[in-house]
Amino acid sequence: DAGITQSPRHKVTETGTPVTLRCHQTENHRYMYWYRQDPGHGLRLIHYSYGVKDTDKGEVSDGYSVSRSKTEDFLLTLESATSSQTSVYFCAIKREAGYEQYFGPGTRLTVT
Amino acid sequence: RKEVEQDPGPFNVPEGATVAFNCTYSNSASQSFFWYRQDCRKEPKLLMSVYSSGNEDGRFTAQLNRASQYISLLIRDSKLSDSATYLCVAPLASSYKLIFGSGTRLLVRP
């Protein structure tokens, strides 16, 4: 257990509304990641962070922004949600040694 | 060519069977690989890391063939609880980002 929680776990929202998902970790890891998972596409990286205020884009970053003002929290914001952003969103951390990542329980987001 | 490719399956096997999955990768510079297990509507969980030619953990064996650029996962004496999707994963060269295969689904029947 890597001590990762995500909130909310489920959310239904309307097209055009802003949405923020939160990832919280308790073990002070520097590296944090946001992924989305869709049928037929597998896990795709949205954004990642390598420290407080240090973030970078992944392969599917359009329409998403992130913020990391504290080590323990990594926020993912959909500025104006679209139906194509209906997905399951996973947060992950990487420990300082190695490449392995450990995942939170996920947030299931539906945009209607 | 996708960076990490897997046969999506499903593989449908009886309890007690031995089953093997293959995964091919495109980046010859990759040094380490991982297998994750994902149950339906759950998060992926690390099953095995492969840093050299292979790794074994109980009924699970992972092997790496660098010349042919593929990784395999062998499951012996399959259990009903092994039913899941298995994700093959490789690091993106010179970064701490991972590339995930789309997964291979395994169904173990009584």
Side-chain angles (χ1 to χ4, degrees):
Chain A
D1 184 3
I4 307 168
T5 57
Q6 293 185 233
S7 58
R9 295 294 313 281
H10 301 271
K11 186 169 181 67
V12 180
T13 193
E14 292 184 350
T15 298
T17 59
V19 177
T20 295
L21 309 183
R22 181 187 184 224
C23 177
H24 179 78
Q25 53 129 337
T26 59
E27 297 182 352
N28 217 35
H29 299 295
R30 193 157 56 105
Y31 293 89
M32 298 183 76
Y33 304 79
W34 275 109
Y35 292 88
R36 60 179 289 175
Q37 187 173 36
D38 306 288
H41 289 281
L43 280 155
R44 293 181 291 174
L45 181 65
I46 304 171
H47 281 279
Y48 66 102
S49 170
Y50 44 95
V52 173
K53 299 193 190 306
D54 290 324
T55 65
D56 206 348
K57 295 178 180 180
E59 62 177 307
V60 290
S61 58
D62 287 348
Y64 301 95
S65 62
V66 289
S67 66
R68 188 143 178 228
S69 58
K70 299 185 291 184
T71 299
E72 58 266 36
D73 288 324
F74 191 29
L75 304 180
L76 177 70
T77 297
L78 291 65
E79 303 289 349
S80 177
T82 66
S83 58
S84 64
Q85 294 176 311
T86 292
S87 187
V88 181
Y89 291 86
F90 288 105
C91 172
I93 60 93
K94 188 191 86 65
R95 294 180 173 136
E96 206 58 36
Y99 291 88
E100 294 89 339
Q101 293 179 17
Y102 301 88
F103 287 82
T107 293
R108 192 167 295 271
L109 176 68
T110 302
V111 184
T112 61
Chain B
R1 180 183 175 185
K2 287 185 179 178
E3 295 192 60
V4 177
E5 289 199 76
Q6 298 181 249
D7 181 341
F11 285 66
N12 191 325
V13 303
E15 266 188 294
T18 295
V19 61
F21 313 135
N22 280 343
C23 164
T24 59
Y25 61 94
S26 60
N27 184 356
S28 59
S30 294
Q31 294 295 309
S32 53
F33 302 88
F34 311 100
W35 284 100
Y36 281 73
R37 172 201 169 116
Q38 186 172 24
D39 294 293
C40 188
R41 302 177 77 86
K42 297 286 190 179
E43 73 271 25
K45 293 188 176 178
L46 181 67
L47 179 66
M48 297 185 78
S49 302
V50 186
Y51 281 98
S52 58
S53 61
N55 193 6
E56 184 171 330
D57 183 4
R59 298 182 295 108
F60 298 84
T61 300
Q63 291 192 313
L64 171 60
N65 184 318
R66 293 191 188 276
S68 301
Q69 294 186 213
Y70 77 82
I71 317 112
S72 63
L73 178 68
L74 183 77
I75 305 175
R76 291 180 295 276
D77 189 22
S78 298
K79 312 290 185 193
L80 295 176
S81 58
D82 293 334
S83 296
T85 296
Y86 292 83
L87 308 176
C88 176
V89 185
L92 191 63
S94 304
S95 81
Y96 286 125
K97 294 186 279 189
L98 297 179
I99 304 297
F100 287 79
S102 296
T104 297
R105 191 168 171 218
L106 172 65
L107 302 172
V108 182
R109 64 182 187 272

